[in-house]
Amino acid sequence: MQKFYIETVGCQMNVLDSELVYSGLVQSGLVPATDRRNADIILFNTCSIRQHAEDKIYSALGRLKHWKVLKPYGVLGVIGCMAQKDQNIIFQRAPHVDLVVGPGQLELLPETVHQLLDEKLQRTSEPNLVGRGEESGKKLLVSLKRREHRHAEVAGSFRLFDPVRNPEARLNRFQAMVRIMFGCDKFCTYCIVPSVRGPEQSRPPQEILDEVRRLVGQGVVEITLIGQAVNSYCYKAGGKTVLLSDILYLVSAVEGLRRLCFVTNYPRGMGEDLLWAVRDLPKVAGHLHVPAQSGSDGVLGRMKRNYSATEYRELVNRIYSTIPNASITSDFIVGFCGETDGEFLQTVELVEGSRFRNSFIFKYSERPGTKSAELYSDDVPEPVKKMRNRVLLAIQDKISLEQNRQFIGKTAEILVEGISRQFENGGVQLSGRTSCGRIVVFDAPDDRLTGQFLKLNIYDAAPFTLFGRQPEPVFHGK
Ligand code: 5AD
Ligand code: SF4
């Protein structure tokens, strides 16, 4: 029985794609390997968002040359965003790769892997052909390029991949992601996503609901609806338009589901209907990830984000006034083309004023094929990018700590996610998350509470972690 191993980097989209690929491969008769070394098929699910992520994949592929020598019948594949972006370049840079499959073609992956395995087996079993394994057919399955074809053709080439989901493919049995839309049409100038993930396509509400029901039937209690700009969800049929707020109502009504989250939001299009749904639906988590990217109108303009810093501030105020317990998180890019000290300071001011629970800060990385690579020069020196990154992180850390300290002395309900540390005495430190997305750790004798909702007393706080303990048990009677 042939074994496969999937190595995943990148965002939640990739984590979900890997889960679906895992399920597809298992259903095709392959077996998951516990370790990369004993696998016959190795797949890298890749990310293109920054140069660094790609460099790491290419060097990991390079290291697998030896594996290919030992296992000439093995299949080495590259899937995900880098596959769509680099296509044949991958075969040129890593000639021992057999298979390149973009995110819109994953449906064809299981049968293609089987074809390759069969071909390789045939070649190595025919004595006069031994040694030709290296030259056996390469497979390239990618979607159409956005700039070269009509919208409908491109959209059609990014195909939905939705096999029945195997619970053991997930990190755990009680949390799951459900994709509600594919692709992105925002075309922020720095971003490669619209070209590698294709046009926005919203899934039919019934399909989403069926998938949620199936997952809840498998024991899932927390679902995260995902989309690159999830609040752009829009499904039109029979004269009706279904928006994300409607999906939140539909999915919330599923019995057995306890918590509903959604990521990532685009700052434009956070309508009142959406904020009201978050406020009014008890299962919907009050955590909103709304990347600002910058606090400078000049930079936002060059990024083509379609909002001003003032509009973003108004949105933050609107969120806090509508949803009093909201926790907002954001992404920022520092050192974007032409970013001056003054423009960076405007970002600092936005972070200081917005009281984010957390911010993810990235140094700008030029991506060939994007508008910013074409129009602007990547002119902020690396040391300046690093310094701005550090400064912003330190400011955010201080804010995160101040906010977390407000939880000390209060109780917080968490969904226990699993072990974060193992102690020598056999006990464990478990960790879980509040519905506002905060991580809480606490000591327990074992991991039996994993997957359960639990109320904890919070006694200490760090920027990214709250420390809790279970309340003393109360004995009634006698
Ligand atoms: N360079 C640096 N960061 C980027 N991001 C997207 N593209 C780039 C890039 N070229 C960041 C954005 C986005 C997050 C997922 O990654 O902040 O919100
Ligand atoms: Fe990239 Fe902008 Fe789309 Fe987010 S909204 S995926 S940053 S293009």
Side-chain angles (χ1 to χ4, degrees), residues 43 341 406:
L43 301 175
D341 285 342
Q406 292 173 6

Side-chain angles (χ1 to χ4, degrees), residues 49-50 190-191 291 293 331-333 362-365 367:
I49 202 104
R50 282 169 287 275
Y190 52 82
C191 189
Q293 311 297 0
D331 291 346
F332 287 94
I333 296 176
F362 307 101
K363 290 178 291 172
Y364 172 62
S365 164
R367 308 288 46 228

Side-chain angles (χ1 to χ4, degrees), residues 186-258:
K186 306 294 180 274
F187 285 101
C188 304
T189 56
Y190 52 82
C191 189
I192 195 72
V193 168
S195 53
V196 292
R197 290 267 169 187
E200 284 179 7
Q201 302 187 69
S202 296
R203 288 177 72 190
Q206 192 58 46
E207 208 176 287
I208 295 168
L209 196 57
D210 289 345
E211 191 167 340
V212 168
R213 288 204 181 109
R214 270 202 305 275
L215 288 163
V216 171
Q218 292 173 357
V220 168
V221 289
E222 180 189 280
I223 289 217
T224 303
L225 305 175
I226 65 171
Q228 238 81 43
V230 71
N231 55 322
S232 300
Y233 178 90
C234 179
Y235 187 83
K236 291 187 174 140
K240 279 195 186 151
T241 303
V242 182
L243 299 176
L244 175 60
S245 53
D246 303 309
I247 294 292
L248 293 181
Y249 273 92
L250 267 178
V251 171
S252 269
V254 174
E255 222 169 292
L257 180 72
R258 298 273 307 265

Side-chain angles (χ1 to χ4, degrees), residues 368-426:
T370 57
K371 271 281 166 215
S372 66
E374 198 181 297
L375 296 176
Y376 311 117
S377 133
D378 180 10
D379 53 0
V380 177
E382 183 62 23
V384 176
K385 287 182 183 170
K386 264 196 188 137
M387 198 255 297
R388 290 180 185 169
N389 193 344
R390 269 205 308 273
V391 168
L392 211 54
L393 267 178
I395 292 167
Q396 180 59 57
D397 267 19
K398 195 163 155 272
I399 296 168
S400 300
L401 180 62
E402 278 164 20
Q403 294 202 358
N404 274 0
R405 291 192 70 80
Q406 292 173 6
F407 282 75
I408 296 177
K410 297 188 177 148
T411 53
E413 189 185 46
I414 63 162
L415 170 59
V416 183
E417 291 179 348
I419 297 176
S420 70
R421 257 167 78 187
Q422 198 108 37
F423 297 119
E424 277 176 8
N425 66 3

Side-chain angles (χ1 to χ4, degrees), residues 62-108:
R63 287 194 296 274
L64 281 174
K65 254 193 198 141
H66 306 292
W67 176 80
K68 227 20 208 314
V69 173
L70 294 172
K71 279 196 184 175
Y73 58 87
V75 171
L76 179 59
V78 174
I79 64 176
C81 295
M82 207 177 90
Q84 179 64 34
K85 175 175 160 284
D86 283 0
Q87 307 195 357
N88 274 313
I89 296 173
I90 298 176
F91 295 130
Q92 287 153 21
R93 286 187 63 176
H96 52 300
V97 169
D98 305 287
L99 172 71
V100 170
V101 185
Q105 302 280 317
L106 294 175
E107 189 189 25
L108 302 173

Side-chain angles (χ1 to χ4, degrees), residues 9-225:
V9 294
C11 66
Q12 282 168 307
M13 281 290 164
N14 272 12
V15 175
L16 177 58
D17 280 341
S18 287
E19 180 194 328
L20 300 177
V21 164
Y22 178 111
S23 301
L25 292 177
V26 168
Q27 282 157 36
S28 78
L30 298 170
V31 181
T34 46
D35 195 294
R36 201 203 273 184
R37 271 165 304 190
N38 61 26
D40 307 292
I41 302 133
I42 298 180
L43 301 175
F44 279 91
N45 195 356
T46 58
C47 173
S48 287
I49 202 104
R50 282 169 287 275
Q51 183 67 44
H52 182 61
E54 290 190 353
D55 293 345
K56 270 172 50 184
I57 294 292
Y58 276 116
S59 54
L61 287 173
R63 287 194 296 274
L64 281 174
K65 254 193 198 141
H66 306 292
W67 176 80
K68 227 20 208 314
V69 173
L70 294 172
K71 279 196 184 175
Y73 58 87
V75 171
L76 179 59
V78 174
I79 64 176
C81 295
M82 207 177 90
Q84 179 64 34
K85 175 175 160 284
D86 283 0
Q87 307 195 357
N88 274 313
I89 296 173
I90 298 176
F91 295 130
Q92 287 153 21
R93 286 187 63 176
H96 52 300
V97 169
D98 305 287
L99 172 71
V100 170
V101 185
Q105 302 280 317
L106 294 175
E107 189 189 25
L108 302 173
L109 183 73
E111 68 181 74
T112 313
V113 165
H114 282 279
Q115 269 171 22
L116 274 168
L117 285 170
D118 292 347
E119 279 174 23
K120 280 166 181 281
L121 214 63
Q122 245 174 25
R123 279 167 204 265
T124 44
S125 63
E126 286 172 26
N128 54 349
L129 288 177
V130 169
R132 283 191 48 191
E134 283 297 313
E135 294 149 33
S136 65
K138 308 262 179 209
K139 307 275 182 197
L140 174 71
L141 302 168
V142 286
S143 304
L144 297 176
K145 293 188 180 162
R146 283 190 90 155
R147 288 188 188 175
E148 294 174 8
H149 301 268
R150 288 192 11 252
H151 183 276
E153 285 169 354
V154 178
S157 76
F158 280 88
R159 277 196 292 254
L160 185 82
F161 176 54
D162 183 33
V164 175
R165 296 171 62 164
N166 283 32
E168 58 293 355
R170 288 196 294 279
L171 282 176
N172 65 50
R173 288 180 171 256
F174 49 90
Q175 291 171 305
M177 288 183 269
V178 170
R179 184 171 5 230
I180 65 167
M181 60 182 300
F182 291 81
C184 183
D185 288 345
K186 306 294 180 274
F187 285 101
C188 304
T189 56
Y190 52 82
C191 189
I192 195 72
V193 168
S195 53
V196 292
R197 290 267 169 187
E200 284 179 7
Q201 302 187 69
S202 296
R203 288 177 72 190
Q206 192 58 46
E207 208 176 287
I208 295 168
L209 196 57
D210 289 345
E211 191 167 340
V212 168
R213 288 204 181 109
R214 270 202 305 275
L215 288 163
V216 171
Q218 292 173 357
V220 168
V221 289
E222 180 189 280
I223 289 217
T224 303
L225 305 175

